[in-house]
Amino acid sequence: METHYLPFNELLHSVRTGQPGADKYFGQPFLSWMAAEPQRAAQFSRAMAEVTSSLRTGMFDGYQLPAGQTVADIGGADGSVLVELLSRDNDPDRRGIVFDQPNITPTAAETLAAAGLAERVDVVAGDFFAAVPTADIYILGYILHDWDDQSSRRILRTIAAAAVPGARVLIVEGVVPPGDQPHLTKAIDLTMLGMLTGKERSEQEYRELLDSAGFTLDRVVVTPSPFSILEATLR
């Protein structure tokens, strides 16, 4: 409540100016405010992991990772998504990378150790706007919705620069359905308007975003959860 819905009361400022209300409330962008204190950043990472883990219940049931030796979870937070995927994987030789900011990676190391995957998964700190590790498969789990199209394109192009043609990107996000029926992604889209510069996107918007960064959207895997898995290939 303190980090999201108190600043969200500045939503009218967002509607009038196009600037996130959180910028006005905190006096700086939300993510900058969050990263300013390591303890706060770690708490936020744990909280988001709890929220997304409950929402993604059943999401990976029956899902198989595409072919590829190394899987990198970009912005992987506490590493729980990679733990779930590798624990279900039929290839015991497949390796992983959890990539996130330096103040977040210690949390991932703890999660991986508790899951018995510390020897199989590397934890790497860095900035996904600057450079990411080379991998065969990249996961962007609930990342792109935090960012506007220009910033999201930068993230995707950073991945493209590190990868080789044929590399896969798995985008785990809510996909806004057509029409005016209520849907969780539309409520989250409103929260994005008040908190960040990001937004929820439709399948066509993801297709266009990926295409502009050199990727082709192959398919959208609908899951029992509110999230879908968008699979794309680097051209």
Side-chain angles (χ1 to χ4, degrees):
M1 299 303 292
E2 177 186 359
T3 60
H4 278 63
Y5 294 107
L6 285 177
F8 193 70
N9 73 48
E10 297 288 356
L11 180 62
L12 186 58
H13 174 77
S14 302
V15 175
R16 286 173 167 165
T17 68
Q19 181 187 44
D23 289 15
K24 179 182 178 184
Y25 183 87
F26 291 120
Q28 59 183 308
F30 172 69
L31 294 178
S32 298
W33 175 81
M34 186 62 62
E37 293 185 13
Q39 184 177 359
R40 181 192 296 156
Q43 181 187 43
F44 180 72
S45 177
R46 290 194 301 270
M48 290 300 98
E50 288 292 331
V51 170
T52 57
S53 64
S54 60
L55 289 176
R56 71 172 188 259
T57 299
M59 183 174 66
F60 297 123
D61 289 353
Y63 181 75
Q64 289 295 316
L65 285 166
Q69 186 62 33
T70 305
V71 186
D73 191 354
I74 305 302
D78 70 340
S80 58
V81 168
L82 200 53
V83 166
E84 188 167 356
L85 284 170
L86 291 182
S87 297
R88 296 166 176 261
D89 193 26
N90 294 326
D91 183 358
D93 295 324
R94 193 171 345 225
R95 295 192 57 82
I97 301 170
V98 175
F99 180 86
D100 213 314
Q101 298 177 67
N103 54 356
I104 301 298
T105 47
T107 306
E110 294 172 4
T111 301
L112 294 165
L117 290 171
E119 299 300 319
R120 192 175 166 190
V121 179
D122 296 323
V123 178
V124 180
D127 176 0
F128 54 40
F129 287 114
V132 298
T134 297
D136 304 302
I137 304 167
Y138 292 88
I139 301 170
L140 288 168
Y142 225 45
I143 298 296
L144 296 185
H145 85 136
D146 285 342
W147 302 96
D148 58 35
D149 286 347
Q150 181 178 357
S151 299
S152 295
R153 196 173 295 113
R154 285 180 59 198
I155 296 169
L156 289 167
R157 286 177 175 169
T158 302
I159 291 173
V164 299
R168 308 298 300 280
V169 170
L170 312 181
I171 298 173
V172 179
E173 293 279 3
V175 177
V176 179
D180 294 330
Q181 293 301 311
H183 194 272
L184 176 62
T185 55
K186 298 176 182 180
I188 298 173
D189 191 40
L190 186 62
T191 304
M192 292 298 103
L193 176 65
M195 294 299 298
L196 298 165
T197 61
K199 61 180 181 180
E200 305 306 305
R201 296 176 174 89
S202 67
E203 177 180 337
Q204 182 60 30
E205 287 175 315
Y206 274 114
R207 188 179 302 277
E208 293 171 358
L209 177 64
L210 285 160
D211 182 68
S212 70
F215 294 86
T216 299
L217 178 61
D218 300 316
R219 65 170 182 156
V220 178
V221 181
V222 178
T223 77
S225 77
F227 301 135
S228 295
I229 305 169
L230 298 93
E231 297 182 349
T233 302
L234 178 64
R235 296 193 291 270

